[in-house]
């Protein structure tokens, strides 16, 4: 199985980076193959320019990095996204990754049909979105409309064809204790990623 990790955080001393390290430890312990797309480290540009947008309807790109990312997505069985929960949603860098890398066309990431979007990333059998948030998880779910699950997982990623989508959040990070953060990292190190 090919596990692809998309990591979206600019600071390598963040708790998100600690989660990335825990996921890598998990993969190594279980002898799973994995690759990491570190969007900030790769200096990924999440914005379209006129030339790139002009190629969208043809399913093409003028950026080798986008071609590489698309190839990695098409080869993955499992996708693990690690990012913070900022302003009620995923970071702009991740949204831009979806905007720019997801190409329309047969054999790419999706097709537009008479019935709507038909996902082509059916090779991704398991999708995990690991986030951190200042607000407690119950607050995000009950009072903020559960946007990550309702929109990002059950609309965007589902439309792209990704299967078995799961959201795991470490909420209340700003008021958390070191022992609580360590327990969560231990949980991730032992988690059964499929």
């Amino acid at each position: 199985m090919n596990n692809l990790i998309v990591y979206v955080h600019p600071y390598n001393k963040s708790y998100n980076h600690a989660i990335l390290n825990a996921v890598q430890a998990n993969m190594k312990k279980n002898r799973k193959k994995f690759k990491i797309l570190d969007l900030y480290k790769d200096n990924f540009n999440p914005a379209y320019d006129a030339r790139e947008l002009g190629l969208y309807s043809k399913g093409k790109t003028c950026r080798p990095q986008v071609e590489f990312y698309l190839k990695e997505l098409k080869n993955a069985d499992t996708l693990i996204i690690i990012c913070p929960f900022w302003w009620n949603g995923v970071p702009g860098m991740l949204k831009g990754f979806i905007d720019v890398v997801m190409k329309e066309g047969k054999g790419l990431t999706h097709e537009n049909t008479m019935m709507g979007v038909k996902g082509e990333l059916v090779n991704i059998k398991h999708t995990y979105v690991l986030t951190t948030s200042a607000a407690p998880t119950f607050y995000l779910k009950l009072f903020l409309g559960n946007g990550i699950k309702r929109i990002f997982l059950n609309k965007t990623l589902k439309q792209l064809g990704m299967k078995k989508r799961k959201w795991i959040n470490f909420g209340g990070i700003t008021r958390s204790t070191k022992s609580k953060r360590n327990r969560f990292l231990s949980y991730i190190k032992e988690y059964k990623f499929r």
Side-chain angles (χ1 to χ4, degrees):
M1 298 207 50
N2 294 318
N3 298 277
L4 182 64
I5 301 167
V6 175
Y7 176 64
V8 189
H9 200 286
Y11 185 51
N12 68 2
K13 293 188 174 154
S14 69
Y15 189 68
N16 280 262
H17 198 80
I19 292 171
L20 172 64
N21 289 339
V23 170
Q24 289 180 84
N26 181 311
M27 295 286 140
K28 289 174 184 173
K29 176 183 170 188
N30 292 296
R31 294 188 171 106
K32 292 187 175 187
K33 293 181 357 183
F34 67 94
K35 291 187 179 177
I36 300 170
L37 303 181
D38 184 336
L39 302 188
Y40 280 97
K41 187 176 175 184
D42 291 351
N43 292 314
F44 175 69
N45 179 358
Y48 268 115
D49 60 22
R51 183 173 171 221
E52 180 79 16
L53 190 56
L55 296 170
Y56 175 79
S57 64
K58 299 172 187 151
K60 298 191 181 212
T61 182
C62 55
R63 294 161 53 177
Q65 184 183 49
V66 171
E67 287 178 3
F68 174 74
Y69 286 171
L70 183 56
K71 180 180 161 228
E72 294 301 325
L73 284 165
K74 295 297 287 181
N75 287 329
D77 302 304
T78 298
L79 176 65
I80 302 168
I81 298 170
I82 303 168
C83 68
F85 187 86
W86 285 341
W87 289 106
N88 305 312
V90 297
M93 178 70 88
L94 181 56
K95 177 68 170 77
F97 176 81
I98 300 291
D99 289 346
V100 174
V101 176
M102 304 306 158
K103 298 295 181 191
E104 180 183 345
K106 185 80 173 154
L108 294 172
T109 64
H110 67 283
E111 288 185 272
N112 281 314
T113 70
M114 296 283 281
M115 300 301 288
V117 176
K118 177 181 178 263
E120 294 281 327
L121 290 176
V122 293
N123 54 290
I124 299 176
K125 305 295 185 210
H126 298 274
T127 308
Y128 303 91
V129 178
L130 310 181
T131 59
T132 57
S133 64
T137 304
F138 79 87
Y139 184 81
L140 302 178
K141 289 180 176 180
L142 298 176
F143 299 104
L144 288 182
N146 206 2
I148 287 271
K149 186 171 182 185
R150 202 170 45 80
I151 303 298
F152 189 63
L153 272 76
N154 291 343
K155 299 293 186 265
T156 304
L157 301 183
K158 181 180 180 182
Q159 282 182 306
L160 290 166
M162 297 179 196
K163 307 288 184 217
K164 296 188 180 172
R165 300 163 308 278
K166 182 168 179 69
W167 175 41
I168 303 170
N169 184 58
F170 183 83
I173 191 165
T174 52
R175 295 182 183 271
S176 65
T177 63
K178 185 175 182 178
S179 68
K180 187 175 178 185
R181 291 190 299 273
N182 286 338
R183 274 196 311 274
F184 184 78
L185 293 176
S186 295
Y187 169 73
I188 295 300
K189 285 178 186 173
E190 298 301 321
Y191 190 82
K192 301 290 186 209
F193 292 104
R194 302 281 175 210

